[in-house]
Amino acid sequence: MRAALAGVAALSLALTGCGPGDGSTAEQGGTVTVFAAASLTETFTKLGRDFEAAHPGTRVVLNFAGSSALATQITQGAPADVFAAASPATMKTVTDAGDAAGAPAVLVRNQLVIAVPEGNPDRVGGLADLARPGVKVALCAEQVPCGAAAKSALAAAGVRLTPATLEQDVKGALAKVKLGEVDAALVYRTDVRAAAGLAAVEFPESARAVNDYPIVVLKHAGNPDGARAFVDHVRSDAGLTVLTAAGFQAPPSR
């Protein structure tokens, strides 16, 4: 099955960088394949390039998608070295299958906002406004971390709504707003910050649906030394600086 799914990596984004090493004693060279939640796209792209620059001869291959889809790919044998999920629940799929090498560590946290077009033409001020007649809303599917978080936030607010669309990852929900197909979407704060032409509406119930992002080296990693070095890199102070600059929150232990 692992061989049959080798093509998954072809969907990845390959990053090539060069530059001086950082004096790390980690083994250099080879490819590090990282499966990461879609909401980590911008930050992990930068961190991947930084890692390559610090480890000459190393190539980082990034595969971004919804965490639940990535977890399924991993448990079905897709070749990967590192998994960074957008929720402990999706990481548990991988650890329960025995595919993690050790215990996952919480990398960062993220919080939901309401994404609306710049200028907020529908004057959305909170979750209750999403249930107004005529307001079209995009949500992530419930099995996706951003969808599970949205469900918790809406329940905390006592708001019931019928979404116009259910997307398989947070980037898909955000794209519906950017294309004008919906009026609003419940997505992560970091995704709105990275998008042009959109604004974020904060709402208090988001505090009831904060997502921890765990990261782990995978048991069947083809490059375990490179995988451990990459995880150390993204969890370093320099890595946390990149992540928090994008709007992620440091985990409580930091």
Side-chain angles (χ1 to χ4, degrees):
M1 180 65 75
R2 295 183 181 280
L5 290 174
V8 172
L11 302 176
S12 311
L13 170 64
L15 305 175
T16 303
C18 59
D22 63 354
S24 171
T25 58
E27 182 178 325
Q28 297 182 358
T31 297
V32 181
T33 302
V34 180
F35 279 26
S39 48
L40 291 166
T41 299
E42 293 80 13
T43 49
F44 266 41
T45 296
K46 174 173 173 47
L47 289 167
R49 289 177 178 144
D50 292 346
F51 182 78
E52 288 178 335
H55 298 81
T58 300
R59 177 171 173 259
V60 177
V61 175
L62 299 168
N63 180 25
F64 297 112
S67 295
S68 57
L70 294 175
T72 298
Q73 291 171 14
I74 290 166
T75 58
Q76 290 182 350
D81 299 305
V82 175
F83 180 39
S87 74
T90 46
M91 178 60 75
K92 190 172 185 294
T93 300
V94 171
T95 57
D96 283 356
D99 287 322
V106 176
L107 178 62
V108 286
R109 313 182 92 185
N110 212 349
Q111 206 157 335
L112 294 179
V113 296
I114 303 169
V116 296
E118 272 186 348
N120 194 3
D122 290 290
R123 298 183 181 180
V124 173
L127 291 180
D129 292 330
L130 300 181
R132 293 197 321 246
V135 177
K136 295 180 180 178
V137 181
L139 298 179
C140 295
E142 190 175 323
Q143 69 269 22
V144 181
C146 63
K151 181 181 179 181
S152 297
L154 289 165
V159 173
R160 292 186 179 182
L161 61 85
T162 300
T165 180
L166 290 171
E167 299 298 317
Q168 292 306 306
D169 61 53
V170 69
K171 297 298 187 186
L174 197 70
K176 294 295 183 180
V177 186
K178 294 173 72 173
L179 294 170
E181 296 180 11
V182 299
D183 305 303
L186 279 174
V187 299
Y188 296 121
R189 181 182 293 155
T190 53
D191 292 289
V192 179
R193 185 176 291 193
L198 299 181
V201 177
E202 301 277 351
F203 57 94
E205 295 84 1
S206 67
R208 303 280 292 274
V210 176
N211 275 12
D212 286 341
Y213 280 52
I215 188 169
V216 75
V217 173
L218 294 170
K219 182 177 180 180
H220 301 289
N223 183 359
D225 289 336
R228 284 189 290 269
F230 181 82
V231 171
D232 287 345
H233 175 70
V234 298
R235 295 188 66 210
S236 69
D237 289 343
L240 187 63
T241 296
V242 170
L243 290 157
T244 55
F248 288 98
Q249 304 165 29
S253 61
R254 298 292 292 261

